[in-house]
C-alpha cells in the first residue's frame, strides 16, 4: 500500500510541511526531511524549484529562486534522495510544475520517483483532464499518487471529476490567491470548507494556503483531514536557518 494511503488511514490530523529543495543551502534537503520526520511531521512536500511558479507567493518564489541559484536541478534532487528510504519512513511528495517533468521525460521521472521511494506528485499546472487521458496509466504503473488542487471557484462537477480520478487526497486551496498571502480564515473560507465537507468525497481533503500557526492549523483541520504549511515554514528557515525545525513544529502541534 502507498505510504500516503497508509498515513491517511491513521486516526489523527495530518501535518504536512512544504519546503523548496536546495533552500536555504543546496545540500540541506536530506537533513531537512530527517529533522521534519523526527519532530512529528506526518507528510512532506518537497518543492522542485522552477523559474515561473504560477501558484506561489513571494516567500516561496524567493526560496525557489535561491535554490535555483544554489544549483538545484531535477537530477541533483534525485541524486540527493537516492538513499532517503534508509532513514525516513513518512510519505514524501514532490511538488513542482510540469515543464521540468516533461523535459526529464514523464515516464522516466515517474520511474525515478518510484525507485527512490517518492509516494506522490503535486503538479499544479497539469490539468486533470490531460492527466486522466495521457498520464494516469504511467503514474499507476509506478505506484504514484497524483494530488490535484481545488479552489473555492472550482465547480462541484469538476470537484467530483477530480475525486473520481484521485486515489490519495485532494489539496484544498483555501482561497483564490497565491501562497503566503493571507493570515487566518474568515466566514467565506469556512463556508467553503463546510461545502466541500458536505460533498462527502471519497478522497480526504488536506487544506493549504493560509496555514501558518497552531490556530490556523486547528481551524483548517476542523473541516479536513489535515493541513499544509509552506510559506510560514520557509519564512522560519529564512530567519533561523535549518537548525530550529523542532521549535517551529512544536508551536503547531
Amino acid at each position: 500500500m502507498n505510504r500516503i494511503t497508509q498515513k491517511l488511514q491513521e486516526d489523527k490530523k495530518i501535518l504536512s510541511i512544504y519546503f523548496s529543495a536546495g533552500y536555504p543551502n543546496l545540500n540541506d534537503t536530506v537533513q531537512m526531511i530527517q529533522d521534519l520526520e523526527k519532530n512529528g511531521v506526518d507528510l512532506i512536500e518537497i518543492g522542485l524549484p522552477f523559474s515561473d511558479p504560477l501558484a506561489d507567493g513571494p516567500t516561496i518564489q524567493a526560496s525557489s529562486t535561491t535554490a535555483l541559484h544554489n544549483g538545484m536541478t531535477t537530477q541533483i534532487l534525485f541524486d540527493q534522495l537516492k538513499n532517503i528510504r534508509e532513514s525516513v519512513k513518512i510519505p514524501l511528495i514532490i511538488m513542482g510544475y510540469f515543464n521540468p517533468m516533461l523535459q526529464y521525460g514523464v515516464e522516466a521521472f515517474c520511474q525515478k520517483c518510484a525507485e527512490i521511494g517518492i509516494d506522490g506528485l503535486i503538479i499544479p499546472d497539469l490539468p486533470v483532464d490531460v492527466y486522466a487521458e495521457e498520464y494516469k496509466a504511467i503514474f499507476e504503473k509506478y505506484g504514484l499518487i497524483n494530488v490535484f488542487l481545488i479552489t473555492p471557484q472550482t465547480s462541484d462537477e469538476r470537484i467530483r471529476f477530480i475525486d473520481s480520478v484521485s486515489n490519495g487526497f485532494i489539496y484544498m486551496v483555501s482561497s483564490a490567491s497565491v501562497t503566503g498571502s493571507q493570515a487566518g480564515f474568515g466566514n467565506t473560507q469556512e463556508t467553503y470548507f463546510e461545502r466541500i465537507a458536505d460533498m462527502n468525497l471519497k478522497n480526504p481533503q488536506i487544506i493549504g494556503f493560509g496555514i501558518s500557526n497552531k490556530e490556523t492549523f486547528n481551524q483548517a483541520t476542523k473541516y479536513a483531514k489535515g493541513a499544509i504549511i509552506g510559506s510560514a515554514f520557509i519564512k522560519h528557515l529564512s530567519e533561523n536557518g535549518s537548525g530550529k525545525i523542532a521549535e517551529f513544529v512544536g508551536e503547531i502541534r
Side-chain angles (χ1 to χ4, degrees):
M1 185 187 292
N2 186 290
R3 278 174 284 259
I4 296 171
T5 310
Q6 288 179 308
K7 181 60 68 174
L8 291 168
Q9 290 177 354
E10 293 180 11
D11 185 22
K12 65 184 299 192
K13 295 298 185 180
I14 302 295
L15 171 59
S16 177
I17 295 284
Y18 167 95
F19 73 93
S20 299
Y23 179 85
N25 302 299
L26 179 62
N27 294 313
D28 284 343
T29 310
V30 170
Q31 188 67 53
M32 190 100 66
I33 292 168
Q34 292 170 340
D35 288 349
L36 286 168
E37 179 181 52
K38 186 172 68 178
N39 286 288
V41 170
D42 300 298
L43 190 155
I44 297 172
E45 294 171 21
I46 305 160
L48 179 58
F50 183 54
S51 56
D52 188 21
L54 302 173
D56 297 325
T59 302
I60 291 178
Q61 278 193 29
S63 70
S64 187
T65 299
T66 298
L68 290 171
H69 288 161
N70 287 343
M72 179 53 71
T73 65
T74 302
Q75 190 57 55
I76 285 174
L77 178 59
F78 284 150
D79 290 343
Q80 288 178 346
L81 296 176
K82 65 183 178 182
N83 298 315
I84 195 67
R85 286 303 171 192
E86 294 176 6
S87 60
V88 172
K89 301 291 185 284
I90 61 173
L92 300 176
I93 295 175
I94 289 180
M95 182 171 186
Y97 293 88
F98 194 50
N99 188 275
M101 299 177 194
L102 203 56
Q103 287 183 334
Y104 196 90
V106 176
E107 180 151 9
F109 190 96
C110 290
Q111 183 176 3
K112 197 67 182 172
C113 285
E115 283 174 7
I116 63 182
I118 298 298
D119 304 289
L121 298 172
I122 301 173
I123 314 166
D125 59 342
L126 175 60
V128 62
D129 327 63
V130 176
Y131 167 76
E133 290 171 19
E134 298 183 30
Y135 301 111
K136 188 171 189 284
I138 296 174
F139 277 62
E140 290 178 348
K141 176 181 176 181
Y142 294 103
L144 294 170
I145 285 175
N146 196 20
V147 177
F148 293 97
L149 284 70
I150 63 170
T151 74
Q153 283 66 44
T154 309
S155 69
D156 285 7
E157 180 185 18
R158 192 159 184 82
I159 290 170
R160 293 205 182 278
F161 178 59
I162 286 171
D163 191 44
S164 73
V165 300
S166 298
N167 60 345
F169 66 89
I170 292 172
Y171 189 130
M172 193 169 156
V173 177
S174 66
S175 64
S177 63
V178 295
T179 56
S181 60
Q182 62 183 49
F185 303 116
N187 291 337
T188 303
Q189 275 109 356
E190 295 207 351
T191 300
Y192 159 58
F193 297 162
E194 288 172 356
R195 175 170 73 87
I196 302 304
D198 289 344
M199 289 181 74
N200 294 313
L201 302 173
K202 73 180 177 75
N203 291 280
Q205 301 88 57
I206 297 183
I207 296 176
F209 291 47
I211 323 290
S212 59
N213 52 32
K214 187 180 184 71
E215 181 186 359
T216 46
F217 177 80
N218 290 339
Q219 203 175 359
T221 55
K222 179 180 171 187
Y223 301 97
K225 176 64 177 174
I228 300 157
I229 300 178
S231 296
F233 179 63
I234 289 172
K235 187 179 179 191
H236 178 82
L237 291 177
S238 71
E239 293 171 354
N240 301 283
S242 55
K244 294 188 176 179
I245 288 174
E247 179 183 290
F248 181 86
V249 177
E251 289 176 358
I252 307 297
R253 277 272 161 87

